[in-house]
Short mmCIF file of all heavy atoms in Angstrom, two decimals:
data_model
loop_
_atom_site.label_atom_id
_atom_site.label_comp_id
_atom_site.label_asym_id
_atom_site.label_seq_id
_atom_site.Cartn_x
_atom_site.Cartn_y
_atom_site.Cartn_z
N TYR B 186 90.82 82.49 102.76
CA TYR B 186 89.62 83.03 103.38
C TYR B 186 88.46 82.08 103.15
O TYR B 186 88.41 81.36 102.16
CB TYR B 186 89.32 84.44 102.83
CG TYR B 186 89.10 84.52 101.34
CD1 TYR B 186 87.83 84.44 100.80
CD2 TYR B 186 90.18 84.68 100.48
CE1 TYR B 186 87.62 84.51 99.43
CE2 TYR B 186 89.99 84.75 99.11
CZ TYR B 186 88.72 84.67 98.59
OH TYR B 186 88.52 84.74 97.23
N SER B 187 87.52 82.09 104.08
CA SER B 187 86.46 81.08 104.05
C SER B 187 85.17 81.58 103.41
O SER B 187 84.35 80.78 102.96
CB SER B 187 86.18 80.58 105.46
OG SER B 187 85.77 81.65 106.29
N ASN B 188 84.97 82.90 103.38
CA ASN B 188 83.71 83.44 102.89
C ASN B 188 83.80 83.72 101.39
O ASN B 188 84.50 84.63 100.96
CB ASN B 188 83.36 84.73 103.65
CG ASN B 188 81.97 85.25 103.32
OD1 ASN B 188 81.38 84.87 102.33
ND2 ASN B 188 81.46 86.13 104.16
N SER B 189 83.06 82.95 100.62
CA SER B 189 83.14 83.09 99.16
C SER B 189 82.55 84.42 98.69
O SER B 189 82.77 84.82 97.56
CB SER B 189 82.41 81.92 98.49
OG SER B 189 81.06 81.89 98.89
N ALA B 190 81.80 85.10 99.58
CA ALA B 190 81.23 86.40 99.22
C ALA B 190 82.20 87.55 99.44
O ALA B 190 81.85 88.71 99.26
CB ALA B 190 79.95 86.64 100.02
N SER B 191 83.41 87.26 99.83
CA SER B 191 84.41 88.30 100.08
C SER B 191 84.67 89.06 98.79
O SER B 191 84.79 88.48 97.71
CB SER B 191 85.70 87.70 100.60
OG SER B 191 85.47 87.03 101.83
N GLN B 192 84.81 90.38 98.91
CA GLN B 192 84.96 91.16 97.69
C GLN B 192 86.15 92.10 97.67
O GLN B 192 86.54 92.55 96.60
CB GLN B 192 83.69 91.96 97.42
CG GLN B 192 83.43 93.07 98.40
CD GLN B 192 82.26 93.94 97.93
OE1 GLN B 192 81.21 93.43 97.56
NE2 GLN B 192 82.44 95.23 97.97
N SER B 193 86.70 92.44 98.83
CA SER B 193 87.85 93.35 98.86
C SER B 193 88.96 92.71 99.68
O SER B 193 88.71 92.11 100.72
CB SER B 193 87.47 94.70 99.49
OG SER B 193 86.46 95.33 98.75
N PHE B 194 90.19 92.90 99.18
CA PHE B 194 91.32 92.21 99.78
C PHE B 194 92.50 93.16 99.87
O PHE B 194 92.74 93.96 98.95
CB PHE B 194 91.72 90.99 98.93
CG PHE B 194 90.56 90.08 98.61
CD1 PHE B 194 89.80 90.30 97.47
CD2 PHE B 194 90.24 89.03 99.45
CE1 PHE B 194 88.71 89.47 97.19
CE2 PHE B 194 89.17 88.19 99.17
CZ PHE B 194 88.41 88.42 98.04
N PHE B 195 93.23 93.06 100.97
CA PHE B 195 94.35 93.98 101.19
C PHE B 195 95.47 93.25 101.91
O PHE B 195 95.24 92.29 102.64
CB PHE B 195 93.91 95.17 102.07
CG PHE B 195 92.69 95.89 101.58
CD1 PHE B 195 91.43 95.52 102.01
CD2 PHE B 195 92.82 96.94 100.68
CE1 PHE B 195 90.31 96.19 101.55
CE2 PHE B 195 91.70 97.61 100.23
CZ PHE B 195 90.43 97.23 100.67
N TRP B 196 96.67 93.76 101.72
CA TRP B 196 97.80 93.39 102.56
C TRP B 196 98.22 94.62 103.36
O TRP B 196 98.39 95.71 102.80
CB TRP B 196 98.98 92.90 101.73
CG TRP B 196 98.82 91.51 101.21
CD1 TRP B 196 98.48 91.12 99.96
CD2 TRP B 196 99.01 90.29 101.96
NE1 TRP B 196 98.44 89.75 99.88
CE2 TRP B 196 98.76 89.22 101.09
CE3 TRP B 196 99.37 90.02 103.29
CZ2 TRP B 196 98.85 87.89 101.49
CZ3 TRP B 196 99.47 88.70 103.70
CH2 TRP B 196 99.21 87.64 102.81
N TYR B 197 98.37 94.43 104.66
CA TYR B 197 98.86 95.47 105.54
C TYR B 197 100.21 95.03 106.11
O TYR B 197 100.48 93.84 106.26
CB TYR B 197 97.90 95.70 106.73
CG TYR B 197 96.71 96.57 106.42
CD1 TYR B 197 95.67 96.11 105.63
CD2 TYR B 197 96.63 97.86 106.92
CE1 TYR B 197 94.58 96.90 105.34
CE2 TYR B 197 95.53 98.67 106.65
CZ TYR B 197 94.52 98.18 105.86
OH TYR B 197 93.43 98.97 105.58
N ARG B 198 101.00 96.02 106.46
CA ARG B 198 102.27 95.76 107.14
C ARG B 198 102.16 96.34 108.54
O ARG B 198 101.66 97.46 108.74
CB ARG B 198 103.39 96.45 106.36
CG ARG B 198 104.71 96.46 107.11
CD ARG B 198 105.74 97.34 106.45
NE ARG B 198 106.88 97.47 107.35
CZ ARG B 198 108.13 97.29 106.98
NH1 ARG B 198 108.41 97.00 105.71
NH2 ARG B 198 109.11 97.41 107.85
N GLN B 199 102.64 95.57 109.53
CA GLN B 199 102.66 96.05 110.90
C GLN B 199 104.05 95.87 111.49
O GLN B 199 104.56 94.74 111.56
CB GLN B 199 101.62 95.33 111.77
CG GLN B 199 101.51 95.93 113.17
CD GLN B 199 100.42 95.30 114.02
OE1 GLN B 199 100.03 94.16 113.80
NE2 GLN B 199 99.89 96.06 114.99
N ASP B 200 104.65 96.98 111.88
CA ASP B 200 105.92 96.93 112.59
C ASP B 200 105.65 96.75 114.08
O ASP B 200 104.56 97.07 114.58
CB ASP B 200 106.71 98.21 112.33
CG ASP B 200 107.15 98.30 110.88
OD1 ASP B 200 108.01 97.50 110.49
OD2 ASP B 200 106.62 99.14 110.14
N CYS B 201 106.67 96.29 114.78
CA CYS B 201 106.52 95.96 116.19
C CYS B 201 105.97 97.16 116.98
O CYS B 201 106.52 98.27 116.89
CB CYS B 201 107.86 95.51 116.75
SG CYS B 201 107.77 94.88 118.42
N ARG B 202 104.87 96.93 117.70
CA ARG B 202 104.29 97.94 118.60
C ARG B 202 103.76 99.17 117.85
O ARG B 202 103.63 100.24 118.42
CB ARG B 202 105.29 98.36 119.68
CG ARG B 202 105.78 97.19 120.51
CD ARG B 202 106.82 97.63 121.53
NE ARG B 202 106.23 98.38 122.64
CZ ARG B 202 105.68 97.82 123.70
NH1 ARG B 202 105.61 96.51 123.80
NH2 ARG B 202 105.18 98.57 124.67
N LYS B 203 103.45 98.98 116.57
CA LYS B 203 102.89 100.08 115.79
C LYS B 203 101.56 99.65 115.20
O LYS B 203 101.20 98.47 115.23
CB LYS B 203 103.83 100.44 114.64
CG LYS B 203 105.20 100.86 115.07
CD LYS B 203 105.23 102.32 115.45
CE LYS B 203 106.66 102.77 115.67
NZ LYS B 203 106.76 104.20 115.86
N GLU B 204 100.85 100.64 114.62
CA GLU B 204 99.58 100.30 114.00
C GLU B 204 99.82 99.70 112.60
O GLU B 204 100.84 99.99 111.95
CB GLU B 204 98.69 101.54 113.89
CG GLU B 204 99.04 102.52 112.77
CD GLU B 204 100.14 103.48 113.17
OE1 GLU B 204 100.90 103.21 114.12
OE2 GLU B 204 100.24 104.52 112.49
N PRO B 205 98.87 98.88 112.11
CA PRO B 205 98.99 98.37 110.73
C PRO B 205 98.87 99.50 109.72
O PRO B 205 98.11 100.44 109.92
CB PRO B 205 97.79 97.41 110.61
CG PRO B 205 97.37 97.12 112.01
CD PRO B 205 97.69 98.35 112.80
N LYS B 206 99.64 99.37 108.64
CA LYS B 206 99.55 100.36 107.56
C LYS B 206 99.34 99.63 106.25
O LYS B 206 99.92 98.56 106.02
CB LYS B 206 100.82 101.21 107.50
CG LYS B 206 100.97 102.09 108.73
CD LYS B 206 102.06 103.12 108.60
CE LYS B 206 102.07 104.01 109.83
NZ LYS B 206 103.16 104.99 109.81
N LEU B 207 98.51 100.21 105.40
CA LEU B 207 98.20 99.58 104.13
C LEU B 207 99.45 99.43 103.27
O LEU B 207 100.17 100.40 103.01
CB LEU B 207 97.16 100.41 103.38
CG LEU B 207 96.75 99.85 102.02
CD1 LEU B 207 95.98 98.54 102.20
CD2 LEU B 207 95.91 100.87 101.26
N LEU B 208 99.71 98.21 102.83
CA LEU B 208 100.80 97.94 101.92
C LEU B 208 100.28 98.01 100.49
O LEU B 208 100.81 98.73 99.65
CB LEU B 208 101.40 96.56 102.22
CG LEU B 208 102.53 96.10 101.32
CD1 LEU B 208 103.75 96.98 101.51
CD2 LEU B 208 102.88 94.64 101.61
N MET B 209 99.25 97.23 100.21
CA MET B 209 98.64 97.29 98.88
C MET B 209 97.28 96.60 98.87
O MET B 209 97.02 95.71 99.66
CB MET B 209 99.56 96.66 97.83
CG MET B 209 99.92 95.22 98.04
SD MET B 209 101.36 94.71 97.06
CE MET B 209 100.82 95.04 95.39
N SER B 210 96.42 97.09 97.99
CA SER B 210 95.16 96.41 97.72
C SER B 210 95.46 95.23 96.80
O SER B 210 96.50 95.19 96.13
CB SER B 210 94.18 97.35 97.05
OG SER B 210 93.98 98.51 97.84
N VAL B 211 94.55 94.28 96.76
CA VAL B 211 94.71 93.12 95.88
C VAL B 211 93.57 93.12 94.89
O VAL B 211 92.39 93.03 95.29
CB VAL B 211 94.70 91.81 96.69
CG1 VAL B 211 95.01 90.64 95.76
CG2 VAL B 211 95.69 91.86 97.84
N TYR B 212 93.91 93.19 93.61
CA TYR B 212 92.88 93.24 92.58
C TYR B 212 92.77 91.89 91.89
O TYR B 212 93.70 91.09 91.87
CB TYR B 212 93.21 94.34 91.57
CG TYR B 212 93.32 95.70 92.20
CD1 TYR B 212 94.47 96.47 92.06
CD2 TYR B 212 92.28 96.21 92.97
CE1 TYR B 212 94.58 97.71 92.65
CE2 TYR B 212 92.38 97.46 93.57
CZ TYR B 212 93.52 98.21 93.40
OH TYR B 212 93.64 99.43 93.99
N SER B 213 91.62 91.68 91.26
CA SER B 213 91.34 90.38 90.65
C SER B 213 92.39 89.98 89.62
O SER B 213 92.71 88.80 89.47
CB SER B 213 89.96 90.40 89.99
OG SER B 213 88.96 90.59 90.95
N SER B 214 92.90 90.98 88.92
CA SER B 214 93.85 90.69 87.84
C SER B 214 95.28 90.59 88.35
O SER B 214 96.21 90.36 87.59
CB SER B 214 93.77 91.78 86.78
OG SER B 214 93.96 93.05 87.38
N GLY B 215 95.46 90.77 89.66
CA GLY B 215 96.80 90.80 90.22
C GLY B 215 97.40 92.19 90.04
O GLY B 215 97.04 92.92 89.12
N ASN B 216 98.26 92.57 90.92
CA ASN B 216 98.86 93.89 90.81
C ASN B 216 100.24 93.91 91.44
O ASN B 216 100.57 93.09 92.30
CB ASN B 216 97.96 94.98 91.43
CG ASN B 216 97.42 94.62 92.80
OD1 ASN B 216 96.69 93.64 92.97
ND2 ASN B 216 97.79 95.41 93.79
N GLU B 217 101.03 94.86 90.96
CA GLU B 217 102.43 94.93 91.35
C GLU B 217 102.74 96.35 91.79
O GLU B 217 102.23 97.32 91.22
CB GLU B 217 103.29 94.55 90.13
CG GLU B 217 104.77 94.39 90.41
CD GLU B 217 105.51 93.87 89.18
OE1 GLU B 217 105.10 92.83 88.64
OE2 GLU B 217 106.48 94.53 88.77
N ASP B 218 103.57 96.46 92.81
CA ASP B 218 104.02 97.77 93.27
C ASP B 218 105.49 97.63 93.63
O ASP B 218 105.83 97.18 94.74
CB ASP B 218 103.20 98.21 94.49
CG ASP B 218 103.58 99.60 94.96
OD1 ASP B 218 104.47 100.23 94.34
OD2 ASP B 218 103.01 100.06 95.97
N GLY B 219 106.34 97.96 92.69
CA GLY B 219 107.77 97.82 92.93
C GLY B 219 108.14 96.37 93.12
O GLY B 219 107.90 95.52 92.26
N ARG B 220 108.72 96.06 94.28
CA ARG B 220 109.16 94.69 94.56
C ARG B 220 108.03 93.79 95.06
O ARG B 220 108.26 92.61 95.31
CB ARG B 220 110.27 94.74 95.62
CG ARG B 220 111.52 95.48 95.19
CD ARG B 220 112.60 95.47 96.26
NE ARG B 220 112.22 96.24 97.45
CZ ARG B 220 111.91 95.69 98.62
NH1 ARG B 220 111.91 94.38 98.77
NH2 ARG B 220 111.59 96.46 99.65
N PHE B 221 106.86 94.34 95.22
CA PHE B 221 105.73 93.61 95.80
C PHE B 221 104.70 93.26 94.74
O PHE B 221 104.31 94.11 93.95
CB PHE B 221 105.07 94.45 96.90
CG PHE B 221 105.98 94.79 98.04
CD1 PHE B 221 106.82 95.88 97.97
CD2 PHE B 221 106.00 94.01 99.18
CE1 PHE B 221 107.68 96.19 99.02
CE2 PHE B 221 106.84 94.31 100.24
CZ PHE B 221 107.68 95.40 100.16
N THR B 222 104.27 92.00 94.75
CA THR B 222 103.22 91.55 93.83
C THR B 222 102.14 90.84 94.62
O THR B 222 102.43 89.96 95.43
CB THR B 222 103.79 90.59 92.77
OG1 THR B 222 104.81 91.25 92.03
CG2 THR B 222 102.69 90.13 91.82
N ALA B 223 100.90 91.23 94.37
CA ALA B 223 99.76 90.59 95.04
C ALA B 223 98.91 89.87 94.01
O ALA B 223 98.73 90.35 92.89
CB ALA B 223 98.93 91.63 95.77
N GLN B 224 98.42 88.70 94.39
CA GLN B 224 97.56 87.91 93.51
C GLN B 224 96.32 87.46 94.27
O GLN B 224 96.36 87.25 95.48
CB GLN B 224 98.31 86.65 93.02
CG GLN B 224 99.55 86.92 92.20
CD GLN B 224 99.25 87.13 90.73
OE1 GLN B 224 98.09 87.04 90.32
NE2 GLN B 224 100.27 87.42 89.95
N LEU B 225 95.24 87.31 93.52
CA LEU B 225 93.98 86.81 94.09
C LEU B 225 93.54 85.59 93.30
O LEU B 225 93.52 85.62 92.07
CB LEU B 225 92.91 87.90 94.01
CG LEU B 225 91.46 87.48 94.28
CD1 LEU B 225 91.29 86.98 95.70
CD2 LEU B 225 90.51 88.63 93.99
N ASN B 226 93.21 84.54 94.00
CA ASN B 226 92.67 83.33 93.36
C ASN B 226 91.30 83.07 93.99
O ASN B 226 91.19 82.50 95.08
CB ASN B 226 93.61 82.14 93.59
CG ASN B 226 93.16 80.90 92.86
OD1 ASN B 226 91.97 80.58 92.83
ND2 ASN B 226 94.09 80.19 92.25
#
Side-chain angles (χ1 to χ4, degrees):
Chain B
Y186 59 94
S187 60
N188 188 342
S189 59
S191 299
Q192 68 172 48
S193 299
F194 308 89
F195 307 91
W196 283 103
Y197 279 72
R198 170 190 170 130
Q199 186 176 25
D200 292 292
C201 187
R202 303 177 73 84
K203 301 277 189 172
E204 77 277 20
K206 293 191 176 177
L207 180 68
L208 178 66
M209 59 197 302
S210 303
V211 185
Y212 301 124
S213 296
S214 55
N216 48 298
E217 188 174 307
D218 183 2
R220 297 182 293 108
F221 299 85
T222 300
Q224 298 275 358
L225 167 64
N226 185 318

